[in-house]
Amino acid sequence: MSYIPHTDADREAMLKAIGVDSIEALFDAVPEKHRFPVLDLPDPMTEMEIAAEMEALSRFNVSASDYAIFLGAGAYHHYIPSLVNHMLLRGEFYTAYTPYQPEVSQGTLQAIFEFQTMISRLTGMDAANASHYDGATALAEAVTVAMAAHRDKRQKVIFSPTIHPHYREVARTYHQNRAVKFSGDRSGTATMVDLADMIDDNTAMIAVQYPNFLGQIEDYTEIIKAARAHGTLVCIVTDPVACALLKSPGELGADIVVGEGQGLGIPMSFGGPYLGFFAVKNEHVRRIAGRIVGETVDGDGRRAYVMTLRPREQDIRREKASSNICTNQGLMALAACVHMTAMGKQGMRRVAELCWHKAHYAAQEIGKLKGFSVDTTRPFFKEFVVTCPKPVSEINDELIYHFGIIGGYDLGKDFPTRENQMLLCVTEMNSKDEIDMLVAGLRAIAAGELHDGDHHHHH
Amino acid sequence: MENSTPQPLEKTSYELSQPGRQGIRLPDPDVPLTDIPADLCRTDLDFPEMGELDVVRHFIKLSQFNYSIDKGFYPLGSCTMKYNPKINEDMARLPGYAHVHPLQSQGTTQGALALMYRLQEWLCEISGFDAVSIQPAAGAHGEFAGILMIRKYHIDRGDVKRTKILVPDSAHGTNPATTSMAGLQAIELPSDKNGDVDLDVLRKACEQHKEELAGMMITVPSTLGVFEEHIVEIIKIVHEAGGLMYMDGANMNALLGVAKPGELGFDVMHYNLHKTFSTPHGGGGPGSGPVVCNEKLAPFRPGPVVEIIEEPQDEDDAPLYGWVMPDKSIGRLKAFHGNFGMHVRAYAYISAYGSDLPKVTHYAVLNANYIRARLKGTYLMPFDRMCGHELVIEGHWPDKAPGVHALDISKRLMDYNFHPPTNYFPLIVPEALLIEPTETESKEVLDSFIEAMLKIAEEAQNNPDLLHSAPHITPVKRVDEVKAAKDLVLCCRPTHIESAEAQ
Ligand SMILES: Cc1ncc(COP(=O)(O)O)c(C=O)c1O
């Protein structure tokens, strides 16, 4: 019976202690008509069989461990130091739960405290919480914080069209029954100046992404100026990997910084589990959702950590809580904490610089190809936009088939004006050889030189 | 400012840091360099600088301050702290799952899609529902999905006034919080003396709010660990008033193969894969909270969801799986597709039991009732009846040991090397201790826990100070929560504010 340790003798002794003669008798309260339905499930499997079946199934996926990958758009293939996984596999961490009992949870609590610190320093904020489900839900919850900061007296929230499309969608799902009006992103073409002009006294928050969904670093000066003038909160969605190199969102003038922490030691894992982070200036700490760990002392005067500002949360405030979040992404926060600590001050910057140099090398080489053009109107970090001579899906099919390369993101899917535009991502994981192969592949595909059966890659 | 700084158990990474020390080394760039404009860059990053071995020792040391399932019995009620099989961890880390990008094309992800599809099918079969979305990231996220679906269903029928959700007072805090977050109003229903929904109160509430009733959220078995006697009746009353029924499925460990919520008449429910299907709790998460529903609500599911796009040509062929957005979807609830790594683990777990899955529930309920039978007479029990997979007791003896509280019992349990049960939940039982043993614990473990509980009951009368001053053997003593909230130190020192002041 897989993970159930009972012997027949145990079962009989226990039933006797309870005073019933069968296990079935424990369920008399369930309406008889509905009791013990048949479950149509496969036969039980042993560990050996499970491993064999699931391993075989996994081979139907193309993975970044066998293929070169230039796909980003919110999920990234970054290096994960070996020790991160070793720490995550400590049962003491991953088989514990929320640290409700601080006396037996100081490990989890201190790790969260250090995580909060590093996220605060990276983003240039004063405080951070212990995580949200992902970057998208963190943005949705930022809207809630901004509404509350204005005591629900303002209705308008402006989104830059260059925020990740999934994030904008999730925020709309979250607030569909509430008095929030989203604007700014629908046409898909609003510039930072246009957005700054939309800010008025009814605007609770404006959100931008930095670097934006297209990888670019935009100039937020006008927006921040207008937001200040109208008392509008500025939320910056950011990539923590970029923050190790670029000016922090706090330095730019953000009040709230959210984003996806997957790039900090968490595998792509087909989209989750990831790590939403949420950081704010001091004046908003009491409004944010989720777990927050604070420092204190124990009965002997020793330093200790504990979950704090608990009265914000659903288990105490119930229908008055601003969010229902309970289980979060704790272990992913630990992964990020270990990752950032192991990388350290130098490693974090080094990774960001490698991304910059490799992405720029790739962009320069692709820019030289006939039929392709690279958008260099703004500085970019690790992603950039390439206009292609053919539909992106066709190019990607050829890249994977002939070159073993997972190509970029098809921007035409989300932005009607960006048909045939591909968003390419280059990280420290892409060697010069891989980049050169990508360039050669694009050249051959544009020239129509490839034939079925030509394979340029080996694995 | 105090002069003596409190001594830490373990210094923070910032305190362990030495300027110039290097952690993980990275290769030199193998491409020509491109200038990074200085005006884009930050000048400093206040981060720790530690050697690799120091980092490992730091986190190992921290891990040793934790209690965990791998270390011992963790009967945290409502959380289903069962064994997290090691093979599940290995499966989630297979490169063909762990290193797949969520936006890769359909053709390059058929393995992942097949796995998600089969899991979706199993979750429908186990719950007796017709449709599912495995996108929600946790139980509360699944609740949010379900309540938004109910609201959109009514709106879709032009029934826009339905904005009220009935929630029993025994409900988990996420239920009322979900209701508000979805823009609806929670109406609390008092329970009767047996811990059940009071049918008269329910009828009155349905009558009173008839025009505005969107539905009801209820946990089965209830958060008190008991199977609601009149569940079918409750469902009927709410349906007759035009409301839909949401089941909080956090306690599904008590129902596998025992009852199917869809067959009982519920319209929608969430699972917690991190409870029922053994995906680890991770010190607070991640979880996964699939939402399952009947045909009525299927068009409103969050998406996209996995469907078969092309049936196989012949028997040896596999179908082609792909992403589909339900046509009246409430929308996307998360970037990408949900906590896939948790789907992989739950898949491995359900594969292990297969058609034996009901045994999980049989033994979970056996274990809980065994503890109940043996603590009866020593501890006050609010209800004298068979329990489900967990039991609630009262952690006090007003006459025999005045001044002893549930919290004292919890803290004293730590001295016996057990994790405490859930304290003070459900809110409607005084000094509640909610004990959930799960099926993976052996009789010997339960016996030693029971012995400790009986011993603590004696101590409560003979030597209550032992309880008040507990725990004695943990890394830290009881901590000062008031100070934490008052001083609000949320980052390692020095904070920006302090360092700015120091300058
Ligand atoms: C009864 C009940 N409902 C809902 C939840 C919320 O689930 P989650 O923590 O996964 O969001 C929990 C667990 O915490 C619970 O015990």
Side-chain angles (χ1 to χ4, degrees), chain A residues 97 326-327, chain B residues 78 138-140 143 172 174 219 223 248 250 270 272 274-275:
Chain A
Y97 201 13
C326 179
T327 294
Chain B
S78 209
E143 287 175 34
H172 192 260
T174 50
T219 311
T223 57
D248 180 332
H270 80 264
N272 301 62
H274 47 298
K275 298 179 181 181

